[in-house]
Amino acid sequence: MTVTISQIAAQTRVSPRAVSYALNGQPGVSEATRQRIQQTAREMGYRPNAAARSMRSAKTGHIGVLVRNDNSDRLTHLMTFETILGINQGLEDAGYVLSLVRIGDVQKGLSSGSRVFTEQVLDGIIVLCEMPDQLDRKVQRLIPNVIWLESQSWGDQYCLRRDEAEAGRLCAQHMLALGYRSLVYINHPGNASEADRSAYSAIARLQGVREVADGAGVPVAEVPFVYDKPSGFDQMAKLFSQITPEVAVVVGQAYHARWLSHAASAAGLNPPHDFGLCCCDDGYDVSMMWPGLSRVSFDRYGLGVAAADMMCQRLDRPDDDCPSQTVAGQWVPGNTAWGPNHAALSARLTGPDSRP
């Protein structure tokens, strides 16, 4: 049976208004009375009525997180789960509930009656990852409060990204410091290909790599490929035929690094002996399954918490400035890039001539 505020009031011998103040954290009752009411409510099994609370506050208490897992592409961007967990923690601490929204729901919202957009189901939405431009514009029209998290959209306020250009610079700096004399950047077009352009993250990473390499007079070759199709192995054949221990390969994502490592192994090559390999990002599963990958590591969970805080500020203090932010990563040396001199020495020490 549902316990009402009136029943709690009768049990504690105070007015229903005093019970409401005590349970909703409002002034108007003493601290001793507040604690007595809250204790009685717990003992009676009281559960707040979310619908009634929404009517009083004009808020639903729900924040959407837009992800790309639509019906035709259910399992992409698995690393975003870490960020979603961080968002959920931040929203939960602020009293909000997270609701996942698929990219297909946005497309459906204009043609059929998706409740996410035809009714006031959400107080705001966090757009997570790169979306086609037209979908970003649709979301902005349908939902008044939006936070752009690692999205194609970028403005002076309410946007949050990893610093992809700095990740590219860190990779290039450390590869050159190890003595590599040539860099190859492996480029996947990314999901923004639906918008007839490469994803912002791929562009920023390459810019960071080129900035460092150009300053040092080191050449950078950009090699585009599609790692999730059989033709990707054919695309790599030419690269592997020309690669030397003096070359460091920089890849954008950990998915790319795994694919490239498998493809190289099939061709009889192995980093760091035959070339250097580093990656501009990672995830929790990478740190567990491939801790030796030389890479830039980002706190994706912390990124989600920061996005939730940004959303709460937008809702609770809409007149305050909320400048956009980029979050820096940390370099993890790993063991997939030793430098050409170290690799050559290792090959001599472990080669046939070194055996007694």
Side-chain angles (χ1 to χ4, degrees), residues 71-143:
N71 287 334
S72 63
D73 203 9
R74 292 176 183 268
L75 298 178
T76 57
H77 295 288
L78 297 179
M79 285 184 185
T80 59
F81 181 64
E82 299 171 43
T83 307
I84 291 171
L85 288 177
I87 295 173
N88 183 66
Q89 184 64 61
L91 293 178
E92 185 178 275
D93 291 345
Y96 289 98
V97 176
L98 179 150
S99 298
L100 285 180
V101 181
R102 302 171 306 163
I103 189 173
D105 293 328
V106 182
Q107 297 165 325
K108 184 173 64 175
L110 294 181
S111 58
S112 64
S114 172
R115 291 187 59 205
V116 172
F117 301 105
T118 60
E119 302 176 20
Q120 188 179 338
V121 176
L122 303 175
D123 293 327
I125 195 166
I126 298 173
V127 177
L128 177 56
C129 286
E130 299 156 348
M131 305 285 174
D133 293 341
Q134 64 270 25
L135 283 181
D136 277 354
R137 290 192 293 269
K138 287 180 182 178
V139 170
Q140 203 158 20
R141 289 199 305 269
L142 295 168
I143 303 291

Side-chain angles (χ1 to χ4, degrees), residues 179-202:
Y180 291 104
R181 298 172 179 83
S182 178
L183 300 179
V184 173
Y185 180 79
I186 301 294
N187 180 31
H188 186 280
N191 295 316
S193 58
E194 299 174 38
D196 297 323
R197 60 186 171 88
S198 294
Y200 83 87
S201 53

